[in-house]
């Protein structure tokens, strides 16, 4: 994954990040005789630096700008989805407050000094508000889920199309080097994972902070 990230940063910024994390393979002991076991050494030593690859702000901006290009045709749904999620969260947080008011009204029923007709009227009003909010949550949640699903599927379709067009430009030598199975995996399961991250970004990563606030 780290090498893939390094290649992506180099591709976007037209320059390699610093410091480079190039793995080194030590083949000096290969095919020699092990002094302890007396057997022939058939495994090379893979040395990989442990220092983490640092991603700068300009790398993040370039990555976001590049990924934003794959949302073409679905940007309106992408921008509408957070607004609908905000409405959904607002309605969900409003229901407990109304429920608290309903409990206060129920307590007033035990007091004979209060007008029972007014209390029942307030109780009916609060219950109607709860039903309205529940209906709104159902409708808004359905629309938000549909928008997020369509936008994420569109994002995945654009990404697959770009990968397919890039594959068509590869030479036969590169195709043989990358292998057909690897290319198929990149355009299927890998794109599906990125698509899932995109959907979670516009749904979960937005809904969570709003509910926390």
């Amino acid at each position: 994954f780290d090498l893939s990230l390094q290649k992506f940063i180099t591709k976007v910024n037209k320059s390699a990040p610093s410091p480079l994390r190039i793995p080194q393979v030590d083949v000096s002991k290969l095919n020699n005789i092990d002094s302890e076991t007396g057997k022939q050494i058939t495994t090379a030593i893979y040395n990989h630096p442990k220092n983490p690859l640092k991603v700068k702000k300009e790398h993040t901006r370039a990555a976001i700008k590049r990924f934003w290009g794959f949302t073409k045709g679905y940007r309106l749904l992408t921008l509408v989805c957070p607004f609908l999620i905000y409405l959904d969260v607002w309605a969900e947080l409003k229901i407990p407050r109304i429920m608290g008011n309903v409990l206060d009204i129920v307590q007033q029923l035990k007091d004979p000094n209060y007008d029972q007709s007014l209390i029942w009227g307030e109780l009916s009003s609060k219950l109607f508000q709860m039903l309205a909010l529940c209906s709104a949550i159902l409708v808004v949640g359905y629309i938000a889920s549909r928008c997020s699903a369509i936008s994420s599927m569109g994002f995945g379709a654009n990404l697959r199309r770009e990968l397919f067009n890039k594959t068509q430009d590869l030479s036969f030598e590169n195709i043989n080097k990358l292998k057909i199975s690897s290319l198929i995996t990149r355009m299927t399961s890998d794109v599906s994972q990125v698509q899932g991250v995109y959907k979670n970004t516009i749904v979960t990563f937005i809904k969570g902070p709003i509910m926390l606030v």
Side-chain angles (χ1 to χ4, degrees):
F1 173 78
D2 190 71
L3 292 177
S4 299
L5 177 62
Q6 181 174 294
K7 291 180 180 179
F8 176 76
I9 294 175
T10 304
K11 179 69 175 179
V12 171
N13 294 337
K14 308 300 182 182
S15 61
S18 180
L20 286 177
R21 291 186 48 168
I22 302 176
Q24 303 293 331
V25 180
D26 184 8
V27 296
S28 59
K29 297 182 179 180
L30 194 62
N31 296 326
N32 293 333
I33 303 300
D34 192 348
S35 58
E36 296 181 358
T37 61
K39 296 181 180 180
Q40 184 179 9
I41 300 175
T42 58
T43 304
I45 300 175
Y46 181 79
N47 297 320
H48 188 65
K50 301 298 182 181
N51 54 313
L53 178 65
K54 296 181 180 180
V55 181
K56 300 180 180 179
K57 291 183 178 179
E58 53 267 24
H59 298 156
T60 305
R61 295 194 200 99
I64 293 175
K65 184 178 179 181
R66 184 172 178 84
F67 276 106
W68 181 250
F70 296 120
T71 63
K72 186 177 181 180
Y74 303 91
R75 292 173 182 171
L76 179 60
L77 295 176
T78 302
L79 297 176
V80 168
C81 189
F83 176 72
L84 295 175
I85 292 173
Y86 171 78
L87 293 179
D88 185 30
V89 173
W90 177 84
E92 289 182 5
L93 297 179
K94 194 73 174 177
I95 289 179
R97 294 185 179 182
I98 297 177
M99 191 64 190
N101 295 333
V102 170
L103 294 176
D104 294 337
I105 295 173
V106 171
Q107 291 295 327
Q108 294 176 3
L109 290 173
K110 300 178 182 180
D111 193 345
N113 296 325
Y114 285 96
D115 189 351
Q116 299 294 319
S117 61
L118 293 177
I119 294 176
W120 282 107
E122 293 180 3
L123 185 61
S124 301
S125 176
K126 295 298 181 181
L127 293 177
F128 177 77
Q129 291 179 17
M130 289 184 63
L131 291 175
L133 287 175
C134 291
S135 301
I137 291 173
L138 181 63
V139 174
V140 173
Y142 170 77
I143 297 175
S145 299
R146 186 172 179 82
C147 290
S148 63
I150 294 175
S151 59
S152 62
M153 291 295 292
F155 173 83
N158 292 335
L159 183 57
R160 286 189 180 92
R161 186 181 300 109
E162 183 69 19
L163 287 174
F164 180 78
N165 293 335
K166 184 65 177 179
T167 304
Q168 299 303 308
D169 296 334
L170 296 176
S171 62
F172 290 107
E173 180 181 357
N174 289 331
I175 291 178
N176 293 332
K177 182 179 179 180
L178 294 174
K179 296 182 181 180
I180 301 298
S181 59
S182 176
L183 295 175
I184 293 176
T185 302
R186 295 177 188 277
M187 286 190 290
T188 52
S189 61
D190 290 355
V191 173
S192 297
Q193 292 180 9
V194 176
Q195 181 178 314
V197 171
Y198 175 78
K199 184 177 180 180
N200 290 331
T201 301
I202 62 177
V203 177
T204 308
F205 292 166
I206 293 176
K207 186 175 183 178
I210 293 176
M211 293 192 70
L212 182 62
V213 174

